[in-house]
């Protein structure tokens, strides 16, 4: 017999994105403006990965700090969620 998968609580806070995914949000918008003919998700992801790997730590710091702030917000919302 197959076991039924437990249903997810819709009130559970979403996990925060990593620094790369914070970067990817802004990169994706800029990439779409610069290359309107490229429709593939893989092409955008590959271009973002290449740029991320070539960025210096100081350039990445903006996204790392934003991700840290989102993690702190997530921790607060999880604490409030667990109290209920």
């Amino acid at each position: 017999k197959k076991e039924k998968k437990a249903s997810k609580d819709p009130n559970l806070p979403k996990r925060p994105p990593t620094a790369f995914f914070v970067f990817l949000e802004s990169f994706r918008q800029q990439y779409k403006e610069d290359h309107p003919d490229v429709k593939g998700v893989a092409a955008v992801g590959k271009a973002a990965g290449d740029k991320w790997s070539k960025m210096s730590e100081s350039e990445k710091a903006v996204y790392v700090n934003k991700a840290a702030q989102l993690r702190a917000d997530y921790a607060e919302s999880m604490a409030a969620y667990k109290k209920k």
Side-chain angles (χ1 to χ4, degrees), residues 21-82:
F21 282 101
V22 172
F23 161 74
L24 188 60
E25 289 175 22
S26 62
F27 178 81
R28 188 179 292 126
Q29 293 171 351
Q30 185 63 39
Y31 190 82
K32 295 268 185 187
E33 290 174 10
D34 295 343
H35 308 286
D37 56 330
V38 177
K39 302 290 184 194
V41 175
V44 176
K46 185 158 179 63
D50 290 342
K51 182 168 180 171
W52 180 258
S53 65
K54 293 175 184 173
M55 288 172 70
S56 67
E57 292 301 318
S58 60
E59 292 172 320
K60 291 180 184 180
V62 174
Y63 304 107
V64 171
N65 292 338
K66 175 79 173 164
Q69 180 62 44
L70 291 172
R71 270 194 310 276
D73 294 343
Y74 172 75
E76 289 176 14
S77 60
M78 274 303 287
Y81 173 78
K82 288 183 179 181

